[in-house]
Structures are given as C-alpha cells and as structure tokens.
Amino acid sequence: MGEPQGSMRILVTGGSGLVGKAIQKVVADGAGLPGEDWVFVSSKDADLTDAAQTRTLFEKVRPTHVIHLAAMVGGLFRNIKYNLDFWRKNVHINDNVLHSAFEIHNGPPHGSNFGYSYAKRMIDVQNRAYFQQHGCTFTAVIPTNVFGPHDNFNIEDGHVLPGLIHKVHLAKSSGSALTVWGTGKPRRQFIYSLDLAQLVIWVLREYNEVEPIILSVGEEDEVSIEEAAEAVVEAMDFHGEVTFDTTKSDGQFKKTASNSKLRAYLPDFRFTPFKQAVKETCAWFTDNYEQARK
C-alpha cells in the first residue's frame, strides 16, 4: 500500500463518542507512537449504516488498523422501546465496517475480476475459522499467473499466455498479423504449471501453517505482456507482423506478489526459465492441437 515499513494508519470509528474522545485525548497527550497516523471519524464524516459511504470512507483513509467504536447507543428505556431499530442499525454498521476492513485487506481486487477474487479471499476466512473452531490445518496457496500444457487456450475466455499461443498458431497458419490485445505494457509474474505442481506437493507434505502462502517467481522475473508475446513469437518461430490493439483493456497494470515467504522455506528452488517453459508449452499445444481446450 506504499506505506513505509512499520507505519500504522489507525481509523477510529465513533471518534466523537465517549470512548472515541477519550482515545483521542490519550493519543494527543503522548500515547501515540512515531509512525502512527490516527484518524478519528464520526457520523458527520460517513453514515456507517450505508455500505457505499462506509466503503468510500475506507478507500479515502486506507487504514492498516481499525478501532471500531461506532454504534447506535442509548440507555435502558430507549433500548427497550427500540430493540429492532438498535439491532438493525448496529448489524448494518458492524457488517459494513467489517466488510470494508476485509475488502482493503491488501487492497480491493481489481474490478475486472472482483467476483472471482472475493470468492477466493473468502477461502482464507473460512480456513482461519476452521482452524479456530475445529483445529483443522487448512491453508490456501496463492499462485500467480499459471500456464503450461493442458491449459485452456481459448482466445476469448482463456488467460493471456495460452490465448497468445493460440493466436500465434492461427496467425502463422493463415499468414496474417498477430494482434495482441491492449498496450503490452502491463506486467505479470508467470509460473509454469509443472513448477507449481512441485510446490503444491511440497506444501502438502511440509507446510503446516494456516496462513496462506504465495507460490510465485520473484518480482525480478516479472515480464510485460509484450515480452510474453515476444517469447511466444520466438518459440513458435513466427515471422509475421505484431500489432497491439490499444482499444482493448489492459486490466490491472501490476499485481506484483512477494515470494519471500516461499524463499524463506525453499531458498534453492529452481523455477523453469520463462522462455524454456513457453517453448515447452507451445510445443505441447502444437502437438496436441486437435484435443487441446480452445
């Protein structure tokens, strides 16, 4: 999120209430630490019963931590009289705040694949809950862009690399130009399916954490879509023209994932070099063109 190491941005909801004001004072009187940024908000900043306003607040503040104090509160008699109102209002507030906190856990996913992304993120939530409630050590592995033999090479619905491989194959056989969708500038970390398979087996045998693990090549091995296209062109021995259709969406520019946790466990794991993996995948596609998913 671009924050310096160790910096904290703490959002306090209900910041103008009894407890909120007390925290504000204690922080102002010296309890705050260097690198801490405290943001106190009240109902005049955002109506937390409103999901859109809550999301907007979180996107603006971008907190690393939340102290959630906001609530519809009242004394005994007001509670007795308005139990339903208290219940509904506080459920809405809590759900909106927790969901927004969850959504900015490492930032919201890109709009292009938010449905898939959120569904996947919920696996992590469920894994933690299974561990907490039942002691099950379920974890999630998070690979970056996987490619290799047996991929889906469909141009419309497949991922970028298998789509490029199929496009180059067609351009080569019809003697036409290759059109790459987008500018070619976005950067991706590609992981060869065979490397990933080895790592998944290692996770199965050796990795005992509930915390997810990212399985990826390092950031230094990130390649642009243009470089990926060049690797496919080279592997397929294509000599036609290459053009970029910039009317097509690029999607997210970078999705860089850190593989430092993986490297801490497996410092010597050797990933198949990208160009070699592309060559092998192209050879598989050419040899299995008829039965390949496309």
Side-chain angles (χ1 to χ4, degrees):
M1 292 185 18
E3 297 280 344
Q5 203 63 39
S7 76
M8 284 167 63
R9 197 162 165 75
I10 304 132
L11 172 65
V12 184
T13 69
S16 65
L18 176 69
V19 183
K21 282 291 190 193
I23 292 174
Q24 207 166 344
K25 178 167 171 39
V26 167
V27 167
D29 287 351
L33 292 172
E36 284 179 355
D37 188 6
W38 291 80
V39 181
F40 295 83
V41 296
S42 68
S43 54
K44 70 176 193 306
D45 300 293
D47 176 2
L48 299 180
T49 63
D50 182 281
Q53 285 193 39
T54 309
R55 189 175 301 116
T56 301
L57 172 71
F58 271 73
E59 284 169 359
K60 191 175 95 182
V61 177
R62 308 292 297 177
T64 60
H65 297 71
V66 180
I67 298 176
H68 176 40
L69 305 171
M72 176 185 175
V73 296
L76 172 66
F77 298 103
R78 190 160 170 240
N79 272 278
I80 290 168
K81 193 174 178 185
Y82 298 114
N83 260 308
L84 179 62
D85 293 2
F86 272 97
W87 187 85
R88 292 189 68 221
K89 195 157 186 176
N90 287 307
V91 161
H92 286 144
I93 290 170
N94 292 343
D95 186 52
N96 290 335
V97 169
L98 284 172
H99 192 62
S100 294
F102 155 73
E103 282 186 325
I104 65 153
H105 179 64
N106 284 340
H110 192 256
S112 59
N113 68 342
F114 70 93
Y116 173 85
S117 301
Y118 280 132
K120 287 293 187 189
R121 283 188 183 188
M122 290 315 298
I123 291 173
D124 179 39
V125 174
Q126 206 160 346
N127 288 345
R128 289 165 194 263
Y130 269 109
F131 181 70
Q132 184 188 21
Q133 206 167 321
H134 297 294
C136 301
T137 311
F138 297 162
T139 194
V141 297
I142 305 170
T144 44
N145 298 49
V146 190
F147 73 98
H150 304 280
D151 207 336
N152 178 1
F153 294 84
N154 185 294
I155 290 168
E156 294 288 332
D157 300 331
H159 287 116
V160 61
L161 205 66
L164 281 170
I165 291 169
H166 193 175
K167 276 183 164 182
V168 173
H169 178 90
L170 294 176
K172 194 176 172 183
S173 52
S174 66
S176 54
L178 166 69
T179 304
V180 181
W181 288 350
T183 64
K185 300 284 183 283
R187 303 183 67 77
R188 296 289 180 266
Q189 285 157 296
F190 292 99
I191 182 168
Y192 192 32
S193 56
L194 300 175
D195 293 346
L196 180 61
Q198 287 185 34
L199 291 170
V200 169
I201 292 165
W202 169 79
V203 168
L204 180 74
R205 294 178 183 149
E206 308 289 341
Y207 183 78
N208 297 314
E209 293 185 46
V210 175
E211 283 287 322
I213 187 163
I214 294 169
L215 303 180
S216 172
V217 298
E219 185 174 1
E220 68 280 4
D221 293 318
E222 204 169 47
V223 297
S224 69
I225 301 303
E226 187 171 5
E227 289 165 339
E230 285 166 4
V232 173
V233 162
E234 189 184 315
M236 300 282 272
D237 198 30
F238 175 73
H239 298 287
E241 189 195 352
V242 179
T243 62
F244 291 85
D245 180 357
T246 57
T247 66
K248 290 279 197 291
S249 169
D250 269 342
Q252 198 165 342
F253 177 65
K254 269 167 77 83
K255 303 181 175 185
T256 314
S258 167
N259 75 345
S260 58
K261 185 174 188 177
L262 175 64
R263 282 295 183 211
Y265 278 104
L266 295 175
D268 301 324
F269 184 84
R270 289 175 65 92
F271 288 93
T272 306
F274 179 65
K275 281 189 172 181
Q276 184 190 330
V278 168
K279 276 198 174 69
E280 291 178 16
T281 306
C282 290
W284 184 90
F285 180 68
T286 305
D287 293 347
N288 297 275
Y289 185 75
E290 290 311 316
Q291 62 266 40
R293 282 189 294 158
K294 56 187 186 295

